[in-house]
Amino acid sequence: MKQFSKLQRQIFAITTTLALITIVIISVCIASLLYTQGIDNAESVLRNKNRSVTTLIDGYVAPLRKAVEYTGSFASGVDHSRFREQETQEKILSLFEVLQNTIPNIHYIFSGYENGALLINDYTPPAGFNAVIRPWYQAAITSHPLISDGIPYQDINSKKWLVSFGKTLLDGDNNIVGVISIDAGMDAIVKALAIRDEKYPTIYNFVMDTEGKILIHPDETLPDTLHQEIFSHIPEKMNASGSLSYDDGGQKKLAHFNRIDELGWIVVTEVNLSDVRQPILETITSTLLMIVLGSLFTTWLMSYILSRHLILPLKKLQNRVQEITEGKDELDKYVFPNNEIGKISEAIEKLTEKALIQKNIELKDTNALLSTISHTDQLTSIANRRKMMEVLYAEVSRFQRKHRPFSVLMFDIDHFKRVNDTFGHEVGDQVLIELAQVVKATIRNTDTLGRWGGEEFVIVCPNTDQKMALNIAEKIFSAIHSYTFPLQGNVTVSLGLSEFTAKHSLESILVEVDQKMYRAKQAGRNQIQFR
């Protein structure tokens, strides 16, 4: 498989990165736009369905309210203040029968009077019946002089849901003598509320009163219960309609509501928010997938074109420079392109082969010098920490291959900060230099001394067990004690040593010897810790 050059990989990485950044920015914008549009569309569906149901209810209830208004007025030709007279009662019942035949939605029509009497066709009230204490009577009294709010209830015999509208009956002096009430079936309303939507299967409608009590609901178990979750989110009465979202038992809902002030009803249309989000997310996913695939294809095509027209000539130029540098004379096989790259190639060809080779030699010498500098401590001219790590790695590898023992010594100058603070850093540096020379002259040629950092030094002793390492440590102590350092007199060190064993790793041997050195300090300094 053909390998890509480094420049090709870089161009590919740059173009792909820019494409991905662009894709992310565009994707965020498009996703936000699509999500907002999706929510707006869902709210529009809820709003339209809610208006449709509200209009249906208005149209359904309007003739019933007009019938109540007409029946309770003097325009009906009935004087309800004379309800005790047989003739008047017959007129009232006859009017009720006409209205029932004219308006098919009427289930019951009846009137109750201040003495508790009830006038209704085809029904005989039970003994002790008192119309005044009935809910429909009290609701009309409370709403006087207006028609009472629609009061849904379930018929005790048919179990169907009905809605009751009532209005007070007045005599010639505008005194209340009774209440006229019409009960209508709500089958048509319930069916309208229960209509499902193909796009949003969980959408449904229900009606509640101004106190949050559910009046009409497709689920027959819910009427006459409170819906506090949504009611607490509906704005004050000044808002005739609006949209909102709320949490119903852990299920996020999106809803639209409309108030019907004449009935005291609030029509609500709601849907599970997850039902709305699902098609939105599917649209976003498919749209973004097409954008990503199209953008990546365009990016890779651009990268390929750049490789053909830019990178390939550069690779040929690289081979040309390498040939000249290596002294090859095959100069006619490369045809310079007619562009800036060709001009650069021609300029490079003018360089002499010997000059380039000489530069290579100088470069190798410089690299060798840099390598030496990078492994030497600049102050003490002994190995630095990097070099010591290389030595340690080599000894660990040799131990693992040939099981040859080696030991590590680590020592630290006691109270070195006091030297710097008392005599200055120049004297401190001189102490470090002379100490390194003393120790280097004391250890074996096979041992490696290095400056670990600050006033800490490490010695790696190949082919050395702990007993031999202890002997070397004692010689070092003796040499340091007998040497006179500038302006300081005697210098002491605290030393720890360990032999590398099969239980050790490079990290653990360094930690162990460091801990021993610090135990030497804690035990009073100027001593060796090897156990």
Side-chain angles (χ1 to χ4, degrees):
M1 185 175 180
K2 188 176 179 180
Q3 291 186 344
F4 289 102
S5 67
K6 184 176 181 181
L7 186 55
Q8 283 177 307
R9 291 195 298 270
Q10 288 177 340
I11 290 180
F12 179 79
I14 291 172
T15 53
T16 302
T17 301
L18 291 175
L20 289 175
I21 292 173
T22 304
I23 289 171
V24 169
I25 294 174
I26 294 175
S27 298
V28 170
C29 295
I30 291 178
S32 177
L33 179 62
L34 290 175
Y35 185 82
T36 301
Q37 287 181 341
I39 295 296
D40 289 343
N41 290 338
E43 289 181 347
S44 178
V45 170
L46 288 175
R47 186 163 50 251
N48 291 335
K49 284 188 172 293
N50 188 263
R51 286 175 180 172
S52 176
V53 173
T54 302
T55 302
L56 173 67
I57 293 175
D58 278 336
Y60 186 86
V61 169
L64 301 175
R65 293 173 61 83
K66 288 182 179 178
V68 170
E69 189 73 43
Y70 172 76
T71 307
S73 67
F74 291 106
S76 65
V78 176
D79 183 2
H80 286 277
S81 64
R82 303 174 66 180
F83 67 89
R84 292 181 176 83
E85 300 175 1
Q86 182 66 29
E87 181 180 357
T88 301
Q89 292 179 4
E90 291 177 356
K91 286 184 179 181
I92 293 173
L93 292 174
S94 177
L95 178 61
F96 288 171
E97 185 176 1
V98 170
L99 289 174
Q100 279 183 295
N101 294 331
T102 304
I103 304 175
N105 294 331
I106 295 179
H107 200 80
Y108 299 112
I109 181 169
F110 49 88
S111 57
Y113 298 94
E114 57 185 353
N115 65 347
L118 177 71
L119 287 180
I120 184 171
N121 285 313
D122 303 324
Y123 178 75
T124 302
F129 180 86
N130 186 355
V132 174
I133 64 175
R134 305 304 297 169
W136 50 268
Y137 193 101
Q138 293 298 320
I141 296 296
T142 303
S143 301
H144 176 75
L146 303 176
I147 298 175
S148 65
D149 293 343
I151 304 175
Y153 72 95
Q154 192 173 24
D155 185 73
I156 192 170
N157 295 318
S158 66
K159 303 300 181 182
K160 290 185 177 181
W161 280 94
L162 308 175
V163 61
S164 174
F165 301 96
K167 188 177 187 306
T168 52
L169 300 172
L170 306 177
D171 60 14
D173 297 327
N174 289 328
N175 296 317
I176 297 174
V177 297
V179 169
I180 175 70
S181 181
I182 289 180
D183 291 0
M186 294 194 296
D187 290 346
I189 297 177
V190 172
K191 287 180 181 179
L193 295 179
I195 293 176
R196 296 292 181 178
D197 185 86
E198 292 183 3
K199 187 174 182 181
Y200 305 115
T202 58
I203 197 170
Y204 68 96
N205 313 273
F206 61 91
V207 178
M208 62 184 185
D209 64 15
T210 55
E211 301 298 325
K213 186 168 121 178
I214 295 178
L215 304 177
I216 311 172
H217 198 288
D219 185 349
E220 296 181 357
T221 64
L222 293 180
D224 207 31
T225 61
L226 287 176
H227 198 319
Q228 192 62 39
E229 293 82 3
I230 189 172
F231 183 72
S232 62
H233 288 79
I234 292 181
E236 297 297 330
K237 192 171 182 180
M238 65 182 68
N239 295 87
S241 63
S243 297
L244 52 90
S245 59
Y246 70 98
D247 193 336
D248 184 11
Q251 178 68 56
K252 294 288 185 180
K253 300 279 189 178
L254 191 64
H256 189 85
F257 71 93
N258 243 313
R259 296 181 186 273
I260 306 179
D261 291 331
E262 297 83 1
L263 304 178
W265 289 2
I266 301 174
V267 182
V268 179
T269 304
E270 70 176 18
V271 67
N272 292 346
L273 190 56
S274 59
D275 197 22
V276 174
R277 285 174 174 168
Q278 184 62 31
I280 297 176
L281 294 178
E282 290 175 357
T283 302
I284 291 174
T285 300
S286 59
T287 303
L288 295 186
L289 182 60
M290 290 188 291
I291 292 174
V292 170
L293 293 178
S295 300
L296 290 179
F297 175 77
T298 303
T299 301
W300 293 332
L301 182 61
M302 290 175 57
S303 178
Y304 174 76
I305 294 173
L306 287 173
S307 297
R308 294 288 297 173
H309 291 83
L310 177 63
I311 308 228
L312 187 59
L314 287 175
K315 288 182 69 176
K316 291 182 178 180
L317 176 58
Q318 178 187 11
N319 295 334
R320 176 68 167 170
V321 172
Q322 186 174 354
E323 289 175 357
I324 296 175
T325 304
E326 295 175 354
K328 296 181 180 179
D329 295 327
E330 300 177 10
L331 305 178
D332 297 330
K333 69 175 183 179
Y334 178 62
V335 178
F336 299 130
N338 187 23
N339 53 28
E340 287 78 2
I341 296 176
K343 293 179 181 180
I344 294 172
S345 301
E346 291 175 356
I348 291 175
E349 189 178 15
K350 295 178 181 179
L351 297 174
T352 63
E353 180 180 359
K354 290 184 179 180
L356 289 174
I357 293 175
Q358 183 62 36
K359 291 295 182 183
N360 286 336
I361 294 173
E362 292 176 0
L363 181 60
K364 290 179 181 178
D365 293 341
T366 301
N367 288 338
L369 178 60
L370 289 175
S371 178
T372 301
I373 292 174
S374 68
H375 289 86
T376 303
D377 180 61
Q378 298 301 303
L379 177 64
T380 60
S381 299
I382 61 175
N384 60 12
R385 185 170 184 145
R386 178 187 294 178
K387 177 62 177 178
M388 294 306 297
M389 288 301 295
E390 292 179 1
V391 172
L392 284 164
Y393 275 121
E395 288 300 322
V396 171
S397 177
R398 185 178 295 110
F399 178 87
Q400 293 171 344
R401 287 184 286 107
K402 300 182 179 180
H403 301 288
R404 292 184 180 177
F406 75 93
S407 295
V408 180
L409 288 70
M410 181 180 289
F411 62 89
D412 181 279
I413 301 176
D414 296 330
H415 302 298
F416 185 71
K417 184 177 182 302
R418 189 182 301 168
V419 175
N420 284 331
D421 293 344
T422 304
F423 301 101
H425 287 280
E426 290 184 1
V427 173
D429 289 347
Q430 189 61 35
V431 169
L432 292 173
I433 293 170
E434 295 185 16
L435 177 67
Q437 293 172 350
V438 169
V439 176
K440 188 174 182 180
T442 303
I443 62 178
R444 303 168 304 182
N445 292 334
T446 55
D447 301 332
T448 303
L449 169 66
R451 186 180 178 191
W452 197 245
E455 66 272 22
E456 289 184 5
F457 295 83
V458 169
I459 303 172
V460 179
C461 302
N463 301 317
T464 304
D465 58 18
Q466 182 169 303
K467 183 177 180 181
M468 297 169 64
L470 181 58
N471 185 42
I472 294 171
E474 290 172 347
K475 289 181 179 179
I476 292 171
F477 262 62
S478 177
I480 292 174
H481 289 165
S482 62
Y483 186 85
T484 302
F485 289 88
L487 303 177
Q488 169 64 14
N490 291 332
V491 171
T492 63
V493 298
S494 298
L495 185 145
L497 67 87
S498 289
E499 177 187 352
F500 190 90
T501 63
K503 70 177 182 179
H504 285 109
S505 64
L506 176 57
E507 292 76 12
S508 66
I509 190 69
L510 289 174
V511 171
E512 181 177 296
V513 74
D514 181 74
Q515 291 174 345
K516 289 181 179 180
M517 180 185 71
Y518 275 95
R519 284 207 302 270
K521 283 184 171 296
Q522 293 170 354
R525 294 182 172 83
N526 190 24
Q527 57 181 277
I528 301 170
Q529 284 286 340
F530 58 91
R531 291 189 177 89

